[in-house]
Amino acid sequence: MTLFGDPATWLPLTFAALMGLSILIYVVLDGFDLGVGVLFPFAEDTEKDRMIASIGPFWDANETWLVLAIGILLVAFPTAHGTILTALYLPVAVMLIGLILRGVAFEFRVKAPVQQKGRWNMAFLVGSLMTSLSQGFMLGLYIMGLDVTLFTLGFAAITAVFLTVAYSFIGATWLILKTDGSLQQKAVVWARGGIWGLVLGMGAVSVASPLVSERIWGKWFSIPEIFLLAPLPLMSALLISLLAYALRHLPTRNDSWAWFPFVATIVLFVLGFFGMAYSFYPYVVPEQLTIYEAASAPESLFIILIGVCFVLPMILGYTALAYTIFRGKATTLSYD
Amino acid sequence: MDALLLSRIQFGANISFHILFPTITIALGWVLLFFKLRFNATGDQKWMEAYRLWVKVFALSFAMGVVSGITMSFQFGTNWPGFMETVGNIAGPLLAYEVLTAFFLEAVFLGIMLFGFSKVPGWLHTLATFLVAFGTTMSAFWIIVLNSWMHTPAGFEMREGVAHATDWMAIVFNPSMPYRLVHMLLASGLTVAFLIAGLSAFAWLIGHRTAGTRATLRTGLVMGAVLIPIQILAGDMHGLNTLEHQPQKVAAMEGNWETGGNVPLLLFALPDEEARQNRFEIGIPNGASLILKHHADGVVPGLNDFVAEDGTVLHPPVAPVFWSFRIMVGTGMAMLALSWAGVMLMTFRKITVNGTRRRAGIDGLPMPLLYALVPMAFSGWVATLAGWYTTEIGRQPWLVQGVLSTEQAVAAVPAPFVGLSLAAYLAIYAVLLVAYVSALFYLVRKAAKGEGVTPAAPLAAHAPLPAE
Ligand code: HDD
Ligand code: HEM
Ligand code: HEM
């Protein structure tokens, strides 16, 4: 265990990285299928089936990344886990109820009697909204160091809206990739509308975090960091302009470039995520608890790490297999 | 009500709701694999008909299991932070292995199993079905390991109030794990057996008398008849194991106050904790001594041994443990009676078709039996919940036996918050339970009307998509 130096240093770091990775994968993957749910009211009834068909085979596995992320928080940083989740008690409850509603709506909308389909469509929308909004709300409170004041609540309400917009944006880009015809055209229009929300949201978070924390300010706005970090906002700006350009010209006649908005949005999410991760490192509870203070006993982390080394590549492998099997435009979702 | 009590009710409500669906998916995955393999081997359409209906039930149950499971994994942090802070070094790796080795496996291959039928080669679809079944069983394994460890902790040492693992083999194979795992897997098998038998009997009664209905009704009855004696045996051994490790729980299950021999097996009693005695006892003389010690004057522990000098009660609440144990065993007996009656009638009754005498099979089942099977569709749920209540309430006041009390683990969340979330969960669970049960019957009715059983004609790519 001393192979790489002191395990009390590198194990917490490794687990923080793993947790970050699964949160990132979660936000991208469940982000697009939550987004599809949020876009539900803008679609015709027949298009709704198509939208569901585009995420049907994936949503369950997508949500499992949340279970993994929360699991790592739970197992690797038990004290932080308690602090964060008890502070976020109510938004977590709202999110869980949202996840329940949308998860079961997938099944019930086609298995319950047809007359009830409208009701389950509604449950799907409401569930997706509750989930996205509460996740954004939690993100806001987390950035504000889990303090509850009128100001932080207001900020959290704003991030709630922006994260929801960001999810519906990536959802729209997913639909551009996975559908064609009139639905695809609609998705392009939705994405054009959503991109401004995305810009505002990323902007708000980037401006607010250094303002509320002197430490974060210092990490970004000192020399030489400011030069080393400059590519991050510059690349984001470039990607956003490319996206805006692409959305003006999509869909193309032979459907080329339909993949571009989705991929570009993923890169954008990744950039934003690295910015946040850089700001908050080494804290797991902002300004209160570092990953080193919160970590579990090295023996236990080591046991998990062995499992992770073997299993994570397999998980990534068969996830890739599933996306390959269901590649191409979404058609009928059928058990036959 | 205080946050502790509310948190306990909330945890109990959430896990009770959750376990309903794993109990179905764990065994139903294997049954689907069985249908699929029978179809591959015989090419008989009745197995495909069975697969088509039950894969829908599986998908629905699975979704309910997943979403309620996600709630479970957050509960530890939101309501029981003391649990992870004290025993996180042991519980953590077990939960992590569950996510890594089970949840991803089942979630990813579920997509392929449900929607990949025409997209992947037949062998890959069968493999996906196998992996989903395997995944649900793995997840049962890991969570039962953790739960058994909470009942019979082993392989750890306490340092500064925190449990540290010393021997992972001892933790995983803790003394009650094999019994609990076997008993739970059999419970799942029985739940599915009676669900299948019950819904097939319903299909039969509404006139859907196809080869597929016959096949599933038979599968359910035979499966139940085979599993229930094993379950009774396993339950008995489980009880003996508990006697060794948690005697106070067995004392509560038997409703026995004083340690001594010739203890009767109580069929009915109203345990009164104030007076520390039972009222209205009806029992079989020496029964409990015989079952637990295998001779009539065997000494059975009594509850009064678990009261401290200062009067602190160290045994679990008696009435709920006593009664839930009886509900479980009673349901088990009803399962035994029905499934054996069914199988006997199917085997030994003869009918004459076209002049030749042959075994009656399903046609030998009398109406009252078929009618009785329909409500028994959910008997597995009743027994499973009753069993878990026996086990879990029987562990109180401990959360981890002898290590951590439930009271020490609760979060400092304001009681109104817990009350609010609890009310929301209860409301949504009530709605979903009704929706789930009616959807099951609706699926059977729909199959009976002939919809959804004929292979769907390939739809044009842009036609409206019924997403099933
Ligand atoms: C004996 C079986 C059993 C028991 C006692 C539990 N579970 Fe469970 N759980 C399963 C058997 C299962 C399963 C069969 O594997 C499920 C049901 C449907 C499914 O997708 O997997 C599942 C799903 C499931 C999921 C969703 C997995 C996914 O995303 O695919 C989570 C997060 C949990 N469970 C967590 C828990 C926790 C924290 C429990 C205890 C406190 C718990 N379960 C008790
Ligand atoms: C799946 C079937 C299960 C059922 C139906 C069940 C039911 C219950 C019930 C009714 C209680 C409340 C006892 C009381 O407070 O009087 C309880 C307590 C508890 N159980 Fe279980 N349980 C199950 C499985 C598990 C598993 C697998 C775990 C953990 C790995 C677990 C962990 C706990 C915890 C942490 C408590 C303490 C909270 C409380 O007292 O309510 N349970 N359970
Ligand atoms: C009829 C004879 C049966 C006997 C003698 C029996 C015995 C037991 C005992 C002693 C326990 C408590 C374990 C503990 O101390 O922690 C238990 C728990 C349990 N029982 Fe049974 N049981 C029987 C039938 C059933 C049936 C028919 C089912 C379900 C279909 C079932 C499901 C359960 C479950 C889910 C638990 C909790 C999990 C566990 O501890 O394994 N039992 N049973």
Side-chain angles (χ1 to χ4, degrees), chain B residues 74-85:
Chain B
F74 277 85
Q75 293 255 312
F76 289 115
T78 50
N79 294 69
W80 308 102
F83 180 72
M84 272 307 185
E85 278 156 23

Side-chain angles (χ1 to χ4, degrees), chain B residues 275-337:
Chain B
R276 304 198 66 75
Q277 62 175 32
N278 296 330
R279 281 185 280 133
F280 309 111
E281 275 188 13
I282 306 174
I284 302 171
N286 301 337
S289 289
L290 275 171
I291 288 177
L292 291 167
K293 295 287 176 166
H294 301 291
H295 48 91
D297 52 4
V299 176
V300 175
L303 289 159
N304 290 341
D305 287 5
F306 301 93
V307 179
E309 297 279 298
D310 62 359
T312 320
V313 175
L314 296 172
H315 61 72
V318 184
V321 177
F322 179 87
W323 276 111
S324 38
F325 183 65
R326 265 148 200 75
I327 293 174
M328 169 181 67
V329 175
T331 316
M333 294 305 156
M335 289 176 161
L336 181 72

Side-chain angles (χ1 to χ4, degrees), chain A residues 46 49-50 52-53 56-57 59-61 63-68 70 74-75 78-79 81-82 85-86 89-90 92-93 95-97 99-101 103-104 107-114 120 180 296-297 299-300 303-304 306-308 311 315 318-319 321-322 325-326 331-336, chain B residues 10 52 55-56 59-60 62-64 66-67 70-71 73-74 76-79 81 84-85 89 92-93 95-97 99-100 103-105 107-112 114-120 159 164 168 411 413 417-418 421 424-425 428 432 435-436 439 442-443 456 459 462 465-468:
Chain A
T46 49
D49 287 336
R50 204 86 195 284
I52 291 277
W59 72 271
D60 180 1
E63 271 178 16
T64 309
W65 291 99
L66 175 66
V67 180
L68 181 63
I70 207 69
L74 177 91
V75 303
T79 31
H81 176 261
L85 288 187
T86 42
Y89 188 88
L90 286 182
V92 166
M95 174 183 79
L96 292 173
I97 289 172
L99 285 171
I100 293 178
L101 279 178
V104 301
E107 295 295 331
F108 278 119
R109 57 191 293 288
V110 287
K111 295 197 174 66
V114 195
W120 291 111
D180 45 19
S296 306
E299 315 90 81
S300 295
I303 285 280
I304 305 176
I306 297 173
V308 169
V311 185
I315 294 176
Y318 55 68
T319 306
L321 174 74
I325 291 174
F326 298 103
T331 50
T332 342
L333 260 198
S334 150
Y335 285 178
D336 297 317
Chain B
Q10 174 163 308
R52 285 231 173 80
V55 78
K56 286 180 194 151
L60 190 62
F62 204 96
M64 301 278 276
V66 169
V67 294
I70 293 175
T71 315
S73 59
F74 277 85
F76 289 115
T78 50
N79 294 69
M84 272 307 185
E85 278 156 23
N89 288 325
L95 288 168
Y97 271 85
V99 180
L100 289 169
F103 288 164
F104 277 106
L105 198 68
V108 173
F109 284 99
L110 180 75
I112 301 177
L114 294 182
F115 306 117
F117 199 87
S118 57
K119 287 203 165 65
V120 299
R159 283 185 235 143
H164 285 258
W168 280 103
V413 177
F417 281 19
V418 187
S421 58
Y425 286 129
I428 202 162
L432 289 182
Y436 175 84
Y442 175 74
L443 285 175
L459 285 169
H462 302 293
L465 307 168
E468 40 155 51

